[in-house]
Amino acid sequence: MTIAITFEGSTGPDDLPGWLALEEDLRGRLRTMSGQAAPETMGWDVVVAAAVAAVPVLARSICGYLVERDRLRKGDLHLSYTDDGREVNLRLTGATDPAALAETLLAHRSVTITEDGDAPSRP
């Protein structure tokens, strides 16, 4: 199974793809490539080739990134996906439940995460 996350935001070692790349339990399961974001933005596609058991690790790591963003008073993340032809947008914060995020990733498998503001560095 794969989960495709298109990430739109800053592209550097402290952005979400960089954060996920440092997650020990996801090593060897992430593949990043240049994204197809709008011309005025930078973006990455993160494809996670993961067994169902690895999805909670992915969700926990994203939530850890959100907690660090909150601590540094950075903006929230926004997750969007298409469901039955309509676009659904969710706000992700430091209070986002990892289990609920894992369910969303499993159910939709292709999402876009947009970052507002500067990315935090991993403590």
Side-chain angles (χ1 to χ4, degrees):
M1 169 180 65
T2 60
I3 295 173
I5 300 172
T6 300
F7 175 79
E8 296 176 359
S10 63
T11 55
D14 296 330
D15 60 18
L16 181 59
W19 182 277
L20 295 175
L22 293 174
E23 181 66 55
E24 292 283 332
D25 292 335
L26 292 175
R27 289 241 167 108
R29 297 174 188 249
L30 293 178
R31 188 174 69 232
T32 61
M33 60 199 91
S34 295
Q36 297 177 344
E40 68 276 1
T41 64
M42 299 293 285
W44 286 11
D45 286 338
V46 177
V47 177
V48 181
V52 172
V55 174
V57 174
L58 174 63
R60 252 190 336 271
S61 187
I62 292 171
C63 288
Y65 181 78
L66 290 163
V67 168
E68 189 63 15
R69 286 183 68 84
D70 277 357
R71 187 182 76 74
L72 296 173
R73 300 187 193 285
K74 304 292 183 186
D76 298 331
L77 297 181
H78 304 277
L79 182 139
S80 61
Y81 58 89
T82 303
D83 189 22
D84 291 330
R86 67 182 178 88
E87 186 169 335
V88 178
N89 293 292
L90 304 172
R91 191 176 97 191
L92 303 177
T93 69
T96 297
D97 177 31
L101 179 56
E103 276 185 44
T104 299
L105 293 173
L106 283 169
H108 301 287
R109 295 196 188 150
S110 181
V111 301
T112 297
I113 295 178
T114 305
E115 179 179 72
D116 295 333
D118 296 329
S121 58
R122 190 176 277 271

